[in-house]
Amino acid sequence: MRIAKRVEGLPPYLFAELDKRVAAKRAEGADVISLGVGDPDLPTPPHIVEALREAALDPSTHRYPSYYGMPELRRAIADYYDRRFGVTLDPETEVLPLIGSKEGIAHLATAFVDPGDRALVADPGYPVYGIGTILAGGEPVSLPLTAEHRFLPDFDAVDVPPSTKLLWIGYPSNPTAAVAEADTLERTVRFGADHDLLVCHDAAYAEITFDGYVAPSILQIPGAKHVAVEFGSLSKTYNMTGWRIGYVVGNAEAIRMLGVVKTNIDSGIFDAVQRAGIAALTGPQDHVEQMRAIYQKRRDLIVSALAEAGIDLEPPLGSIYVWVPAPAGRTSVDFAAELLDEAAVVVAPGTGYGPHGEGYIRISLSVPDDRLQEAATRLRERLR
Ligand code: MLT
């Protein structure tokens, strides 16, 4: 048996690896608190679960779904863009439901990247931007995001190597929790147009924002549809990580080509899950507001525990993460290992998100309040 080089060379998926470490530590009897993966602990709102229950009882949902998603779901996504961002989308050509945004992010490269091609990827950034590129035979090229530039791209300092076809960014950012204003997205669109790149904006955390900050869509930028697509997810907004439902919107040609890839390798989202997705997008939204308040309180808890331990951070305005500098002299992997060994707290090492994640760890706020409180106490004691 000979394994393909592109898979042989692939690092283990960060969270699969963290799961293994948690299991090993728990097997030693430790009371481990995992602030690793961003996986909401809060339940999916009941009206969405009820929509799934009803749909699952309807045998018409048991057959193959439509390849391009139910028209009603595509319409619900387009209506959300209209309501929330004032962006008009053609549900037929500019909206494509995905089996979770991760799936579409990974597969987009198959449609655009030939062996030897390149993609500029946010560094640090969601690991799948680069992994999709590698699986397509291409090479991810780092787009450095540094504290000096508030983890926003400094396009004046970026050299675009030959054969670069894609540019991946995402705000509110996973993992840095940085947010972007319209001017950053405007510069990104201009840069994409100047260099003939498809700009891919990951907006999975667009609804999880704090202190009155409201995240923009890249599609609000004039001309964006010529060069950009935006990925969205129901996972974090509606606590639906396990359901696998997301979407991509924007440039019609890019969406058409991703559709070509997908129709050849998957058969769409279970219709009952699509109907639940429609209920999520069109139903009451009050729980989203409640969830923002919960995450904001958790963010404050972690930020003040870190401040008491001498690590001062500006409270992040979005996402479900806090991006924390490691104490001087510790690598991100060492620091994460130390917190696991000595405090039984799991965090994600920054280098899991790219070389520029060195010197940081990521804390996820997606654990119940009492466990987060306990983790904050352990972190404070450990770091003092
Ligand atoms: C994360 O922890 O970065 C996310 O939950 C992973 C994902 O969305 O796939």
Side-chain angles (χ1 to χ4, degrees):
M1 192 164 63
R2 283 165 299 157
I3 297 177
K5 289 193 183 55
R6 64 178 171 274
V7 174
E8 223 172 27
L10 217 57
Y13 191 62
L14 177 62
F15 298 110
E17 202 54 20
L18 284 180
D19 277 355
K20 279 195 214 155
R21 283 191 225 159
V22 175
K25 193 77 185 162
R26 284 198 175 128
E28 291 169 13
D31 172 26
V32 179
I33 305 176
S34 179
L35 310 181
V37 73
D39 187 4
D41 55 303
L42 304 161
T44 308
H47 70 280
I48 302 175
V49 179
E50 185 53 27
L52 173 82
R53 196 186 68 80
E54 275 175 25
L57 289 169
D58 173 357
S60 75
T61 65
H62 300 176
R63 310 191 69 193
Y64 282 124
S66 127
Y67 283 108
Y68 297 100
M70 294 169 70
E72 298 86 341
L73 176 59
R74 282 188 269 124
R75 163 59 58 202
I77 296 164
D79 286 349
Y80 160 69
Y81 262 76
D82 186 20
R83 223 172 35 241
R84 168 71 168 79
F85 301 111
V87 168
T88 305
L89 294 172
D90 178 347
E92 292 296 313
T93 59
E94 295 176 333
V95 177
L96 181 65
L98 301 169
I99 309 172
S101 61
K102 180 179 185 179
E103 174 265 304
I105 288 171
H107 282 139
L108 189 75
T110 307
F112 285 90
V113 173
D114 285 317
D117 285 346
R118 297 183 169 97
L120 271 172
V121 300
D123 172 12
Y126 184 44
V128 187
Y129 308 152
I131 290 170
T133 309
I134 294 169
L135 287 175
E139 184 197 340
V141 175
S142 163
L143 173 70
L145 305 177
T146 61
E148 192 193 341
H149 292 279
R150 305 180 69 82
F151 299 105
L152 300 172
D154 174 16
F155 287 118
D156 293 338
V158 177
D159 272 333
V160 181
S163 309
T164 304
K165 290 185 165 168
L166 303 178
L167 164 62
W168 284 100
I169 57 159
Y171 293 99
S173 158
N174 175 13
T176 68
V179 296
E181 298 295 348
D183 60 334
T184 296
L185 300 180
E186 212 171 299
R187 274 197 295 279
T188 309
V189 165
R190 206 176 325 126
F191 187 82
D194 289 350
H195 295 275
D196 192 19
L197 305 174
L198 174 64
V199 174
C200 311
H201 183 239
D202 178 3
Y205 298 87
E207 296 305 337
I208 306 179
T209 53
F210 315 122
D211 301 335
Y213 169 77
V214 178
S217 160
I218 201 164
L219 298 182
Q220 288 173 298
I221 307 302
K225 272 195 203 171
H226 294 300
V227 296
V229 287
E230 184 158 82
F231 288 84
S233 172
L234 275 62
S235 287
K236 309 292 165 29
T237 312
Y238 301 104
N239 303 326
M240 292 176 76
T241 47
W243 302 53
R244 309 318 300 142
I245 179 164
Y247 53 82
V248 59
V249 294
N251 183 274
E253 182 62 0
I255 284 175
R256 192 173 74 79
M257 296 325 293
L258 179 57
V260 169
V261 173
K262 278 176 56 58
T263 49
N264 279 286
I265 54 180
D266 72 57
S267 302
I269 309 164
F270 179 25
D271 269 352
V273 171
Q274 295 196 52
R275 288 206 206 156
I278 296 166
L281 289 163
T282 61
Q285 302 293 310
D286 40 325
H287 97 280
V288 183
E289 196 50 49
Q290 289 159 13
M291 188 186 58
R292 283 187 199 111
I294 291 170
Y295 282 127
Q296 185 168 321
K297 207 168 104 227
R298 292 179 182 178
R299 172 204 70 173
D300 291 344
L301 173 70
I302 289 295
V303 168
S304 53
L306 291 168
E308 283 169 38
I311 301 178
D312 285 313
L313 294 178
E314 230 176 88
L317 293 180
S319 86
I320 57 173
Y321 307 112
V322 181
W323 186 241
V324 184
R330 312 261 237 305
T331 67
S332 52
V333 167
D334 288 348
F335 186 39
E338 199 175 299
L339 292 176
L340 178 59
D341 288 342
E342 295 170 23
V345 171
V346 178
V347 297
T351 41
Y353 303 90
H356 282 83
E358 183 53 276
Y360 291 87
I361 55 148
R362 191 197 76 172
I363 287 178
S364 166
L365 303 173
S366 61
V367 293
D369 291 357
D370 57 333
R371 296 299 278 163
L372 195 71
Q373 179 71 59
E374 169 62 20
T377 305
R378 292 187 200 174
L379 289 175
R380 196 168 39 228
E381 279 165 10
R382 178 71 205 83
L383 293 170
R384 260 195 188 139

